[in-house]
Amino acid sequence: MSGLTSMILKAAAPLPRMESFHRYLFIGPHPDDIEIGAGASAARLVREGKQVSFLICLDGRFGDGNSGGIRGEELVAARKKEAEASAKMLGVDDLHFLELSDGGFYSTDELVRGIAKAVGELRPEVVFAPDPLSRNECHIDHLNVGNAARQVACFALFPGIMERYGADPADVRGIAFYMTAEWNRFMRTSGELLKLQLDSVFKCHKSQFPEGSKEAADIATYLKLRSVTAGLHCGCLHAEGFRFLDQTHMHCLPET
């Protein structure tokens, strides 16, 4: 019955095309996450004249495994500059930081409030965020940011709730989860956009991906394979896949 219900719902309440909107907010837990999860799509939307903003929630101070000994506030400053350079490479000039500590050292309430205030100010129609329901995701920051983003996306239309968050309401029409295996919508990209995405990660975020490192090589291979695999799903050479929900499908419709 669930499968039949899902088919009926898809016909009765189809999801809109993600690229049919004008204002987009990409929310990342750390510097580099947006680029890895959806960099090619962000670059495509910019090229199409859409309004694209980035919000980086956490400062990346504990991402010191590959940083060459840079730690603490010095690493925070370096990662912020890397994020600015990376966003610029993708064509995004509207970049915002909540500047909360990463590693889970913050309250979920201040995370939700920070995202809500950004949504109220930027008024996106579509929000992008990491999928908090991915079965393999273990990083508490990715889980927390994904959950906070979906909470705000669901309630953004309600003035009373947003007021309690200290934020203005916004006409959010949907949320697109990246870093997910449950694709239901695709953004067609290209080999050029894939290269731009790779450059934005590996030429800019050098504190996390030193040139020649195994981690950089592994993630680059993964992004290339993911791009081609998503492209096969939608009949093109390159694409990025998302789990997209609009306001109709955000609650009480588990079949979708």
Side-chain angles (χ1 to χ4, degrees), residues 22-181:
H22 181 68
R23 297 186 305 278
Y24 298 82
L25 174 62
F26 288 75
I27 300 175
H30 314 96
D32 75 30
D33 284 326
I34 294 171
E35 295 91 319
I36 293 172
S41 296
R44 173 190 160 171
L45 292 170
V46 169
R47 290 186 175 191
E48 292 181 353
K50 309 291 187 177
Q51 179 180 312
V52 177
S53 302
F54 282 5
L55 174 67
I56 299 172
C57 297
L58 312 172
D59 61 16
R61 68 178 53 244
F62 296 115
D64 52 10
N66 295 319
S67 64
I70 302 174
R71 303 187 66 184
E73 294 301 323
E74 186 179 1
L75 181 56
V76 170
R79 296 199 69 181
K80 187 172 184 178
K81 288 182 179 179
E82 291 173 346
E84 291 169 345
S86 180
K88 184 177 180 180
M89 182 175 286
L90 295 174
V92 177
D93 57 10
D94 191 36
L95 177 61
H96 305 264
F97 299 89
L98 291 188
E99 299 184 338
L100 301 175
S101 171
D102 66 346
F105 298 107
Y106 49 85
S107 73
T108 54
D109 180 67
E110 62 184 337
L111 180 60
V112 169
R113 287 177 176 273
I115 291 175
K117 289 177 181 178
V119 167
E121 291 171 5
L122 300 171
R123 306 183 67 79
E125 295 166 284
V126 175
V127 170
F128 286 76
D131 191 348
L133 301 182
S134 172
R135 289 183 293 177
N136 292 343
E137 184 58 74
C138 299
H139 200 311
I140 189 62
D141 291 333
H142 287 221
L143 297 170
N144 286 343
V145 169
N147 276 318
R150 66 174 179 165
Q151 179 175 333
V152 173
C154 185
F155 288 146
L157 293 171
F158 297 87
I161 294 177
M162 292 295 278
E163 183 179 3
R164 294 290 293 270
Y165 293 151
D168 294 326
D171 189 24
V172 174
R173 309 315 304 175
I175 185 166
F177 293 108
Y178 59 82
M179 295 180 180
T180 183

